[in-house]
Amino acid sequence: MADSIPAVRHERARAPVQVRLFGDRIFNTATFILALSILALLFGLAVALIADSFPAIRAFGLHFFISADWDPVNEQYGALPFIYGTFVSSFIALALAVPLSLGVALCLSEMAPDWLSHRLGFLVDLLAAIPSVVYGLWAVFVMGPWIRDHVEPPLAHWFGWLPLFQGPKVAVGMLSAGIILAIMIIPYISSVCTDVFRVVPHTQREAALALGATKWEMVKTAVIPYGMTGVIGAIILGLGRALGETIAVAMVIGNSAQISASLFKPAATLASVIANEFAEATSDLYVAALIELGLVLLILGIVLNVVARALVLVVQQRRYRETGK
Amino acid sequence: MGDGRGGESAKVAMAEKLVVKNLNAYFHKNRALHDVSLSFEQDRIAAIIGPSGCGKSTLVRCLNRMHEVVPGATATGEVLLDGNNIYADGVDPVQVRRRIGMVFQKPTPFPTMSIEDNVAAGLTLNGVQISHAERHEVIERSLRQAALWEEVKDRLRRPGGSLSGGQQQRLCVARALAVQPEVLLMDEPCSALDPISTARIEELLLELKSAYTIVIVTHNMQQAARCSDMTAFMYTGDLVEYGETKQIFTNPTRRETEDYITGRFG
């Protein structure tokens, strides 16, 4: 019969339902295992860090986090200078990079014509592809001396009454580290922000323009508020990069385990001290203390991401209540 | 350009509020409007009808220089607001848009702003320095004019996006009215709304007519017949016919107009 042929063909083309369900089950199991392996990896990493740093944890306990004394010769280890250095250098980086990145993103999404915007955007993305050791080299040989000769003197001259800008002017120090970090995270923040601003609906922009908004007023009224969640996400992404960046920072921060109010002074971050001292760590306690710094960095990263998620969720929920979308 | 709204005497003298002369509009090389000339009178509602893609939205967007906001879009010709060409050299489109308000097809409240901030957005943008009481007065007046006050007076601080679609569109009307424009352009303001909300907007148009020159683009011929005084029929970028609404719908002079309004095409 002619009309049974399509049905037969259909049966032949597809395997029996049981076989197809079985395939589904294999697929589900496989992806589930792969997803779990990420969790296992994180868990294993945490366990290894805790186990290997156990001698230091047992020796110093919570004192490790509040002691500013990092003295390998006398086997005294405190993480505070590095926690401080990590936060301050990252903060400098954000303070410089966020306004600059917003400017770049707004220029690319609002001001530049399409053909220029995409070429420039590509160049900005390219900055993220430069290895950090190259940034470090450039910072040591070009940027650092330039900051010492042309940035620090005016800062000391005009703002020298602030403890931040006192002391001898040097090429390597907290300020240099913060600036190189800023340069390194600008491509990340500006790239995400550009995408965020590009997806703001055209109708929102036109609504502001039709009210008699200038371009800047349109950006302020329609574009930035609409993209706020994404901007926060971009900033957190940049902060995450800055906290963990190692080599470039290790090359220009000066590596000194001290807490100093002056940004001109050499300092160290959690990541930079591990990179710098791991090879020369001779005693077991020294190695354990360095590993505990790594544990602190891991926890910091997790906390930061949780906070970022919560922050984005809060903003989104407010948006949800507002628009019902 | 003049200093804000003209007095009562000026209104009478200037019956032709907005005059369009030989307007051509382009998207890159494509000409979307062909030598359109017509005038809109003070305190009357003009409807622009025509099938999709006929240039009616383009025409209305040329009237407050919103057309050129789209990349590659340009226009030539003259649009005279109270006798002054808004396309003349040295005229700032921002200033033009402050005098000629616009409501769009889709409701576009600013989602992160409250209802009252949405209404006052234009004032804030224009840098008007007013006291708290004056600001509240403007918000109440605009919302009353937009027939929304009774529905939102108890929740002015709620987000603008929490309103229904029809309410959002009236909020956008209130936002446009708050800056006291002289002309109100509406680009298919009811196409995203249900029949009840549409009826409210139409009532609103008739109430606003005594104070504003209104130009409404509509896809809906019944809407044009119901609420406009003058009707323009456009087809493929040409202004085919423009006249009293009654005449256009009962006794059109052009064959194309008759074919369109009797539903033979479009």
Side-chain angles (χ1 to χ4, degrees):
Chain A
M1 282 203 302
D3 60 340
S4 70
I5 290 171
V8 170
R9 197 180 287 150
H10 182 82
E11 282 301 313
R12 205 177 291 160
R14 296 185 143 210
V17 168
Q18 290 86 344
V19 173
R20 283 164 53 216
L21 279 180
F22 184 65
D24 241 17
R25 206 170 302 145
I26 291 179
F27 178 71
N28 281 348
T29 317
T31 48
F32 185 67
I33 289 171
L34 287 174
L36 270 187
S37 69
I38 297 292
L39 260 182
L41 204 63
L42 183 69
F43 184 74
L45 196 64
V47 166
L49 282 175
I50 292 170
D52 288 348
S53 62
F54 199 69
I57 294 174
R58 197 176 43 199
F60 306 111
L62 286 178
H63 193 68
F64 187 74
F65 299 97
I66 53 168
S67 163
D69 190 19
W70 182 267
D71 186 356
V73 178
N74 295 315
E75 295 269 320
Q76 284 301 313
Y77 301 102
L80 199 59
F82 311 116
I83 295 174
Y84 174 83
T86 301
F87 274 109
V88 173
S89 61
S90 296
F91 181 79
I92 296 172
L94 279 190
L96 295 173
V98 169
L100 258 164
S101 304
L102 283 177
V104 170
L106 288 173
C107 172
L108 293 183
S109 71
E110 309 300 320
M111 314 301 276
D114 262 6
W115 62 270
L116 184 64
S117 166
H118 286 101
R119 282 172 175 76
L120 274 179
F122 174 71
L123 287 179
V124 171
D125 288 348
L126 212 59
L127 282 180
I130 298 175
S132 55
V133 67
V134 176
Y135 275 109
L137 277 176
W138 177 77
V140 166
F141 291 114
V142 182
M143 192 197 77
W146 188 81
I147 286 173
R148 178 192 60 207
D149 298 337
H150 299 288
V151 177
E152 293 184 354
L155 278 177
H157 182 74
W158 297 106
F159 301 104
W161 47 275
L162 283 169
L164 289 175
F165 305 113
Q166 288 167 357
K169 295 152 198 74
V170 289
V172 292
M174 190 74 100
L175 189 64
S176 298
I179 291 174
I180 196 66
L181 276 177
I183 294 172
M184 292 176 75
I185 65 176
I186 282 172
Y188 291 91
I189 303 182
S190 62
S191 176
V192 174
C193 286
T194 306
D195 291 344
V196 164
F197 293 147
R198 279 196 182 130
V199 300
V200 173
H202 212 69
T203 52
Q204 285 284 315
R205 290 190 172 83
E206 292 201 337
L209 288 176
L211 282 174
T214 61
K215 200 139 199 172
W216 161 241
E217 290 165 340
M218 174 197 84
V219 165
K220 204 173 58 173
T221 316
V223 178
I224 293 178
Y226 200 95
M228 207 53 200
T229 327
V231 172
I232 293 172
I235 293 172
I236 301 289
L237 177 74
L239 179 58
R241 291 277 313 167
L243 288 177
E245 176 51 44
T246 309
I247 278 301
V249 174
M251 289 165 87
V252 294
I253 200 165
N255 305 306
S256 159
Q258 55 173 329
I259 297 177
S260 165
S262 173
L263 300 183
F264 298 168
K265 289 266 176 63
T269 67
L270 290 165
S272 77
V273 73
I274 296 172
N276 270 313
E277 300 188 8
F278 201 77
E280 61 203 44
T282 41
S283 75
D284 289 346
L285 194 59
Y286 197 177
V287 173
L290 285 174
I291 291 174
E292 193 174 352
L293 291 182
L295 182 64
V296 172
L297 197 54
L298 178 71
I299 292 169
L300 246 162
I302 291 173
V303 168
L304 180 75
N305 273 288
V306 170
V307 169
R309 281 284 159 85
L311 202 62
V312 167
L313 217 66
V314 166
V315 175
Q316 266 173 353
Q317 271 174 355
R318 213 172 61 200
R319 173 79 46 84
Y320 176 80
R321 280 206 305 276
E322 275 157 2
T323 62
K325 278 173 201 134
Chain B
M1 310 213 89
D3 51 349
R5 311 205 58 179
E8 205 56 39
S9 59
K11 267 189 189 175
V12 176
M14 202 63 73
E16 290 193 331
K17 184 71 186 172
L18 205 56
V19 180
V20 180
K21 282 185 185 166
N22 304 107
L23 186 67
N24 289 284
Y26 303 83
F27 290 100
H28 296 285
K29 293 254 180 329
N30 290 330
R31 197 154 83 154
L33 288 181
H34 305 260
D35 259 332
V36 172
S37 297
L38 77 170
S39 64
F40 301 105
E41 288 161 42
Q42 180 79 52
D43 303 341
R44 304 192 77 176
I45 299 177
I48 304 173
I49 60 170
S52 297
C54 69
K56 53 192 193 301
S57 282
T58 306
L59 170 59
V60 82
R61 287 169 62 90
C62 282
L63 300 181
N64 67 342
R65 299 192 59 174
M66 282 299 287
H67 174 64
E68 64 206 64
V69 168
V70 178
T74 51
T76 62
E78 291 184 6
V79 175
L80 307 174
L81 174 64
D82 291 338
N84 299 308
N85 183 14
I86 64 170
Y87 280 93
D89 287 341
V91 174
D92 182 0
V94 170
Q95 297 302 324
V96 172
R97 293 178 201 135
R98 286 176 187 186
R99 295 178 62 190
I100 308 181
M102 191 165 201
V103 175
F104 296 90
Q105 194 168 346
K106 274 191 189 162
T108 53
F110 298 123
T112 53
M113 288 187 193
S114 67
I115 292 172
E116 57 177 11
D117 287 346
N118 259 289
V119 177
L123 296 177
T124 316
L125 283 175
N126 295 359
V128 181
Q129 295 291 329
I130 48 171
S131 68
H132 196 75
E134 281 172 318
R135 187 184 128 96
H136 190 80
E137 226 168 82
V138 170
I139 290 169
E140 178 170 347
R141 191 198 63 223
S142 309
L143 284 170
R144 278 190 192 283
Q145 280 185 317
L148 190 59
W149 174 253
E150 291 303 325
E151 290 158 64
V152 301
K153 64 181 176 188
D154 299 322
R155 45 175 176 154
L156 292 173
R157 309 241 163 176
R158 289 290 309 278
S162 65
L163 301 172
S164 74
Q167 289 173 325
Q168 286 187 17
Q169 193 62 302
R170 276 180 283 147
L171 178 62
C172 292
V173 174
R175 185 173 66 185
L177 295 178
V179 289
Q180 295 192 279
E182 296 153 59
V183 181
L184 191 60
L185 308 175
M186 305 183 104
D187 188 359
E188 301 201 29
C190 302
S191 65
L193 303 184
D194 60 274
I196 294 170
S197 305
T198 301
R200 305 252 6 206
I201 299 270
E202 286 178 12
E203 275 168 36
L204 180 58
L205 286 178
L206 296 174
E207 282 163 30
L208 294 175
K209 173 169 118 163
S210 59
Y212 300 90
T213 304
I214 297 174
V215 180
I216 176 171
V217 168
T218 175
H219 201 79
N220 177 334
M221 278 178 284
Q222 286 74 31
Q223 184 169 55
R226 277 194 300 265
C227 59
S228 70
D229 303 300
M230 302 290 285
T231 296
F233 171 61
M234 295 193 64
Y235 186 56
T236 61
D238 292 300
L239 176 64
V240 176
E241 191 168 355
Y242 180 49
E244 296 276 345
T245 299
K246 203 174 279 175
Q247 177 252 314
I248 295 276
F249 279 91
T250 55
N251 189 21
T253 53
R254 294 284 297 266
R255 180 64 193 273
E256 297 96 315
T257 316
E258 189 178 348
D259 286 351
Y260 182 70
I261 61 173
T262 53
R264 218 159 285 166
F265 76 99

